[in-house]
Amino acid sequence: MDNDHILVNNTRYCLYFPQRKLTVQVHEATRRIEEGVTNIGDITYITKLFPLPSATGADHNTCLPGTRTGVLDYIRRWADHQDTVQVCWLTDVAGAGKSTIAKKLSGEWRSKGRLGACFFFDKNRPDATNKQAFCDTIAAQLANNQPQLLPLIIEGIQAIGPVLSVCPFEEKLQKLVIRPVKDAAVVLVIDALDECDERDRDILLRNLLRSLTQAIRLKILITSRPEKDITELLGSYRSPTDSLHDVELKSNRDDIAMFVKHQMERLVQSGDLTVEEVTQLANRVNCLFILASTACKVIQKSLSPRSRLQDLMDPKRNSLGDINRLYLAILTKACQIDQDGQSTDSEAPKEMIEVLQAILAAATPLSISTIDALLGSKSTGRVVEFLSSVLNVRNDGTVVILHPTFREFLEDRRTARPFHFEITDAHGLMAKGCLATMKRELRFNICRLESSFMRNKDVPDFNERVSKYIPEQLQYGCTHWLDHVTKSSPRSHENDRTAALEFVEGRLPLYWMEVLSALGKIPKILRDLQEVGSWYSEKKLKDKFKDIKQFLVAFSTPVSESIPHIYISTIPFAARKSYIRQEVRGLFPKTMSVIIGYSKNWPEPPQEWQGHTGSVKSVAFSPDGRRIVSGSEDNTVRLWDAEAGQPLGEPLRGHTHYVQSVSFSPDGRRIVSGSLDKTIRVWDAETGYAGYVGDNHRVVFGLNTDTIRLWSAGIRHTSEEQSHPNTHMVSTTTLNNAPDQIPLSQSNESHNLIHSLHFPPGPHFASPGFDDCKLLQDGWVSSSNRLLYWVPPNNRHGLQSSHILTFPTTSHLRSTWIDFSNFCCGTDWTKCRE
């Protein structure tokens, strides 16, 4: 690529998001070209970030011109003077207008080139209620708003390496945010910090405050309610400005009056309201912007604005006394409830409450059609229309509440009668809806896969098939059913006991696994299954859930990697007394038959666990006691289910010598291993990806000498000898708060009967219909990059016989004889069922 082509139209790099794009101007590229050292490829590192578009505040309103002048002027002066404190904390009650001020100032600073980035926390969006996406979002905006910082951000991404997506928060903050802005006079805006999970906001705040001395020109504006934990950390940074809702302050009364007049202007012009009526409304909303805004929406959306205004201002009802009274009036009107508490539509209150329960309990925001599908109703659209003053349909079609005070109102028994509901009951309703949706919509081969020879990821249009054939409500139900079960009340469990029992019998668990495999949710469901058994009292249901978990643990590799092999590779090897096998074996007869080498029961945690091929040098429990990690002389690290005694996925490979020591981080998310290859590796405990932890994490390890060293994982050296690599074997490791997949090519060939296979002592063998067959390390039997079937670890052995599969006898484990006379695979795999 020539330089002229690179610089066409002032070279830009576009990073696209689902609803918007950030455009990064690459000014640095011009300088590098002039100096003859251009590396445009560096710019692609920005694509490794996963920012959260919804956290940029695009959905928030800004201050009306001429309002909030006092507080705005103070914060502007604070930002412009370097001799002021680095943090300004704007705090007030809910609905006082803090977010509109943050949005206003963000826009001003962006236009002046002062804005670094902003992050708007939001309880309506689960991904915007924690710190997970904070650093990526801030870094992406820094690259957009301050192009001169792009090289520094790229350096941070390069320094973190391939584990960017699982990198600890502290390291990401340092390398992607603090170091790039070290010498930059920019402002960061963090809005609604109180809507971030308490534990996460504590970590975020403490790390930000500790980092201030490293970036002395950085200013941070933070808005939140005056929650106790936030006050303890930010009390000394509180803005000295007057309260935003104090009715005694003329400036607040004037601001509210201007806002209400602006909102009602169209109705005044049309003659629906008079100026005097609008003034009366402004005087009744107590200088609280959320109260004024909601009241204006109610009137604007009414078919009779004057009548609705009079209802709200009726002194007997006192609907404008506070925001809770207004919410009560809105719901009462939507249900047409009279003074005697009777509704003109007997179903209206029930329908409305169920829709509100679904919106509040949803793990992710849902569309109107999805809510209807989960609830089995057609009322969601009507309810959302009636409650448009408190609910919002976003650009992506999902429904959320407009302000967190509405959620708090509904969950408060004292203020919301007769509309109050317990959130546990809402989760019970959603659990019931998820279960009904799965029973109604799950089916065999839901993605319509033509061949069993490929992993899911190798099917060319796999993602398109998932979107086309698995509707949103089914994706949601399969993923979050157990979430809602564990968050619901015991009464809900017992009410749905029969439906749950019906679901876990027969084919449906396998169909459920198909969707989980397609969505990559097997690891999540394994964690959920660990908890859900204790929520049901009936022993048979507990046993069924336990059986599903044992099935998934035993076959996590084929189930996760290839949907067809949920049937053709797992049913033959499942324990004979497994509920799943007993109920589906006759429904899927065209699979292999294990003649010798099967198990009657799922194995109890054995005294000796089999999986490593060399001596085990070290083991450790996870903090929650549910997993065990082991390191071995076979150069691998393995993760085990502590209850079942079975390996989870395939070994973690990367070390080139014995693994001497292993340990979990205190949060259980990472594993550290030390090896005789003189290296230390840190693994993500969920994905198995290897990498390093950050600057604020330390690994203590011992060498085969008389010394102990403290190793800074983020910069990959010891504190004792920073410039020298380890020259001795690593013997012990401790991490301090810190399924292997082999890709295959595509094929659509089919072979429905394999009469016999012979495995000579070696990795290659021949069989009728397939050439150059191999047993791969992860248990797959492959021929010319086609997956034939998967074999459990204990069955990768056997003896030779006609119509019998024989593996090399490399250990003392049981022999395996397999009959292939009815085996269907390739493009005939769907014939496995009756």
Side-chain angles (χ1 to χ4, degrees):
M1 182 181 295
D2 59 86
N3 292 349
D4 290 337
H5 181 68
I6 292 173
L7 291 175
V8 169
N9 297 323
N10 187 24
T11 304
R12 291 172 180 265
Y13 175 81
C14 295
L15 178 60
Y16 288 91
F17 297 109
Q19 298 176 13
R20 64 192 296 265
K21 65 181 179 180
L22 297 179
T23 302
V24 181
Q25 292 187 322
V26 192
H27 299 299
E28 188 67 9
T30 304
R31 181 185 64 79
R32 292 186 177 184
I33 289 173
E34 291 174 349
E35 296 175 358
V37 292
T38 303
N39 184 6
I40 298 299
D42 284 352
I43 300 167
T44 61
Y45 276 97
I46 284 291
T47 63
K48 298 179 182 295
L49 298 175
F50 288 91
L52 188 61
S54 62
T56 60
D59 293 341
H60 287 268
N61 296 319
T62 187
C63 292
L64 191 66
T67 62
R68 299 309 197 196
T69 55
V71 66
L72 289 171
D73 287 343
Y74 170 81
I75 298 176
R76 289 172 185 137
R77 291 193 300 272
W78 161 80
D80 291 340
H81 290 80
Q82 287 301 313
D83 57 350
T84 56
V85 293
Q86 289 181 260
V87 177
C88 178
W89 178 38
L90 179 64
T91 182
D92 213 308
V93 298
K98 302 180 295 295
S99 294
T100 60
I101 292 173
K103 181 65 178 294
K104 171 80 170 179
L105 291 168
S106 296
E108 288 184 4
W109 288 327
R110 180 180 288 108
S111 65
K112 294 178 180 179
R114 287 292 313 281
L115 181 68
C118 54
F119 195 100
F120 287 68
F121 287 100
D122 187 351
K123 282 187 177 179
N124 278 326
R125 308 170 188 267
D127 49 4
T129 60
N130 55 61
K131 66 182 185 341
Q132 183 173 345
F134 181 84
C135 294
D136 284 46
T137 304
I138 295 295
Q141 290 184 63
L142 282 171
N144 182 59
N145 298 328
Q146 305 292 331
Q148 74 278 8
L149 302 181
L150 179 60
L152 298 174
I153 296 169
I154 291 174
E155 287 179 11
I157 295 172
Q158 291 173 324
I160 294 173
V163 290
L164 182 66
S165 62
V166 294
C167 179
F169 176 81
E170 298 84 347
E171 181 181 3
K172 267 194 177 183
L173 182 68
Q174 284 293 318
K175 293 182 177 178
L176 301 185
V177 180
I178 299 302
R179 291 182 187 176
V181 303
K182 179 180 180 181
D183 300 314
V186 298
V187 184
L188 301 183
V189 177
I190 303 173
D191 179 66
L193 182 62
D194 55 284
E195 297 191 36
C196 177
D197 294 336
E198 186 170 344
R199 180 177 179 274
D200 277 9
R201 72 190 184 215
D202 182 77
I203 295 172
L204 188 155
L205 270 184
R206 291 183 184 278
N207 279 278
L208 275 177
L209 296 177
R210 278 198 299 263
S211 302
L212 292 177
T213 57
Q214 303 173 43
I216 59 175
R217 303 179 68 192
L218 173 67
K219 293 296 186 75
I220 307 176
L221 171 64
I222 302 174
T223 74
S224 78
R225 301 186 198 185
E227 303 292 357
K228 180 180 178 181
D229 61 302
I230 300 176
T231 302
E232 290 176 352
L233 292 174
L234 295 181
S236 60
Y237 299 104
R238 185 194 296 263
S239 166
T241 54
D242 294 321
S243 168
L244 298 175
H245 72 287
D246 188 347
V247 72
E248 299 299 324
L249 294 176
K250 183 177 183 300
S251 60
N252 286 342
R253 296 197 301 272
D254 291 344
D255 289 346
I256 286 289
M258 186 180 298
F259 173 79
V260 173
K261 180 181 178 180
H262 175 76
Q263 294 293 100
M264 298 289 101
E265 184 176 7
R266 182 182 58 82
L267 293 178
V268 171
Q269 291 175 349
S270 65
D272 290 301
L273 295 178
T274 66
V275 173
E276 291 75 16
E277 289 171 325
V278 171
T279 301
Q280 292 173 2
L281 174 63
N283 292 336
R284 291 287 301 276
V285 293
N286 295 327
C287 290
L288 193 63
F289 263 91
I290 184 59
L291 184 57
S293 176
T294 306
C296 289
K297 286 185 175 69
V298 171
I299 297 168
Q300 288 169 338
K301 297 177 183 298
S302 174
L303 296 177
S304 178
R306 177 171 283 114
S307 176
R308 195 71 177 104
L309 173 62
Q310 291 171 351
D311 287 343
L312 293 178
M313 296 183 63
D314 185 342
K316 293 181 179 179
R317 298 176 180 174
N318 195 23
S319 299
L320 298 178
D322 58 46
I323 191 62
N324 288 333
R325 289 180 180 273
L326 180 56
Y327 288 148
L328 187 60
I330 292 169
L331 297 182
T332 300
K333 180 68 175 180
C335 292
Q336 298 295 317
I337 296 177
D338 58 29
Q339 293 181 346
D340 297 325
Q342 301 299 314
S343 173
T344 56
D345 181 353
S346 59
E347 292 298 313
K350 178 177 180 293
E351 291 177 348
M352 185 180 70
I353 290 175
E354 287 187 349
V355 170
L356 291 174
Q357 286 179 317
I359 293 171
L360 265 64
T364 60
L366 302 173
S367 66
I368 290 174
S369 60
T370 300
I371 295 172
D372 271 343
L374 289 169
L375 297 182
S377 74
K378 297 180 180 180
S379 60
T380 304
R382 185 172 67 254
V383 170
V384 171
E385 182 180 357
F386 286 159
L387 299 182
S388 57
S389 57
V390 291
L391 300 177
N392 179 41
V393 180
R394 303 189 310 193
N395 292 335
D396 62 0
T398 57
V399 184
V400 296
I401 60 173
L402 274 171
H403 198 270
T405 52
F406 185 55
R407 178 190 299 271
E408 294 158 7
F409 161 78
L410 291 170
E411 294 177 356
D412 190 336
R413 184 188 302 274
R414 298 168 301 173
T415 60
R417 289 182 180 178
F419 305 106
H420 162 76
F421 54 81
E422 297 292 341
I423 194 63
T424 54
D425 292 335
H427 284 293
L429 176 71
M430 289 297 283
K432 180 180 178 180
C434 290
L435 186 57
T437 299
M438 290 190 293
K439 293 174 68 175
R440 181 177 66 248
E441 299 185 11
L442 286 172
R443 59 183 54 85
F444 176 72
N445 192 19
I446 195 166
C447 291
R448 304 187 186 182
L449 299 175
E450 292 87 2
S451 174
S452 67
F453 286 154
M454 289 180 283
R455 289 181 170 89
N456 297 340
K457 66 179 182 178
D458 295 322
V459 177
D461 60 344
F462 188 75
N463 291 336
E464 289 76 11
R465 288 171 183 260
V466 171
S467 300
K468 181 177 181 179
Y469 298 123
I470 309 179
E472 183 181 343
Q473 66 269 15
L474 185 56
Q475 292 189 32
Y476 183 90
C478 290
T479 302
H480 297 292
W481 170 43
L482 298 184
D483 288 332
H484 290 300
V485 169
T486 57
K487 293 176 181 177
S488 58
S489 64
R491 181 179 66 257
S492 298
H493 306 158
E494 294 308 312
N495 291 342
D496 295 333
R497 177 179 54 81
T498 301
L501 193 56
E502 290 174 354
F503 176 79
V504 296
E505 293 178 338
R507 313 167 191 245
L508 286 178
L510 297 183
Y511 296 172
W512 181 32
M513 293 177 198
E514 282 198 42
V515 176
L516 297 174
S517 176
L519 300 178
K521 297 297 184 180
I522 297 298
K524 176 190 182 302
I525 293 301
L526 275 171
R527 293 193 300 271
D528 294 345
L529 285 167
Q530 187 77 24
E531 300 179 19
V532 75
S534 61
W535 291 84
Y536 288 102
S537 59
E538 183 172 325
K539 182 179 184 301
K540 185 176 182 181
L541 197 50
K542 288 175 178 286
D543 290 344
K544 291 274 189 176
F545 278 118
K546 182 178 180 181
D547 187 60
I548 292 173
K549 178 178 181 292
Q550 291 173 315
F551 187 96
L552 288 173
V553 167
F555 303 117
S556 59
T557 295
V559 171
S560 297
E561 295 187 14
S562 180
I563 289 175
H565 290 270
I566 292 173
Y567 305 94
I568 65 176
S569 287
T570 64
I571 296 174
F573 291 102
R576 289 298 195 266
K577 292 188 177 180
S578 162
Y579 287 113
I580 293 178
R581 189 186 190 283
Q582 290 177 352
E583 292 166 4
V584 305
R585 186 68 180 93
L587 303 178
F588 299 93
K590 297 293 184 68
T591 60
M592 303 176 289
S593 295
V594 180
I595 308 302
I596 296 178
Y598 57 81
S599 298
K600 291 184 178 180
N601 301 292
W602 295 117
E604 294 296 327
Q607 296 298 317
E608 296 181 0
W609 294 4
Q610 304 291 338
H612 284 295
T613 58
S615 298
V616 176
K617 306 297 290 185
S618 180
V619 295
F621 272 96
S622 64
D624 61 8
R626 295 177 178 176
R627 293 169 297 169
I628 294 175
V629 64
S630 59
S632 167
E633 288 186 355
D634 62 11
N635 306 347
T636 70
V637 176
R638 293 210 74 145
L639 199 60
W640 307 76
D641 182 276
E643 179 183 356
Q646 297 295 317
L648 296 173
E650 295 302 313
L652 307 182
R653 299 181 175 91
H655 284 298
T656 59
H657 211 311
Y658 299 168
V659 179
Q660 291 286 94
S661 181
V662 290
S663 178
F664 276 97
S665 63
D667 61 6
R669 293 170 56 189
R670 293 176 296 280
I671 297 167
V672 63
S673 58
S675 168
L676 295 187
D677 62 11
K678 306 173 187 176
T679 68
I680 295 171
R681 288 179 176 265
V682 178
W683 314 79
D684 179 79
E686 294 293 336
T687 66
Y689 294 139
Y692 295 89
V693 294
D695 290 328
N696 292 329
H697 291 66
R698 298 291 184 266
V699 178
V700 179
F701 64 94
L703 308 176
N704 281 359
T705 65
D706 56 358
T707 64
I708 296 177
R709 291 185 176 178
L710 177 67
W711 180 68
S712 174
I715 51 180
R716 310 181 190 185
H717 58 61
T718 69
S719 59
E720 177 183 336
E721 295 182 304
Q722 297 186 357
S723 60
H724 295 84
N726 299 327
T727 55
H728 296 276
M729 299 175 293
V730 179
S731 301
T732 62
T733 57
T734 303
L735 182 60
N736 183 22
N737 202 31
D740 221 8
Q741 298 180 349
I742 303 174
L744 294 175
S745 63
Q746 302 151 3
S747 173
N748 289 317
E749 295 185 31
S750 170
H751 187 77
N752 64 329
L753 291 178
I754 304 177
H755 293 290
S756 64
L757 291 177
H758 174 74
F759 279 54
H764 299 269
F765 59 93
S767 63
F770 295 101
D771 297 326
D772 194 28
C773 294
K774 292 184 293 184
L775 174 62
L776 306 182
Q777 286 185 318
D778 54 5
W780 287 108
V781 174
S782 170
S783 173
S784 301
N785 288 333
R786 295 167 299 180
L787 301 183
L788 304 185
Y789 44 88
W790 182 87
V791 185
N794 285 351
N795 292 98
R796 296 170 193 175
H797 314 277
L799 57 93
Q800 178 180 341
S801 179
S802 180
H803 295 274
I804 298 299
L805 172 66
T806 303
F807 288 96
T809 304
T810 58
S811 82
H812 62 282
L813 297 177
R814 61 175 178 259
S815 299
T816 301
W817 288 13
I818 304 175
D819 185 349
F820 287 88
S821 58
N822 289 321
F823 182 49
C824 292
C825 66
T827 55
D828 283 340
W829 81 269
T830 56
K831 296 178 181 178
C832 68
R833 65 174 178 168
E834 59 182 350

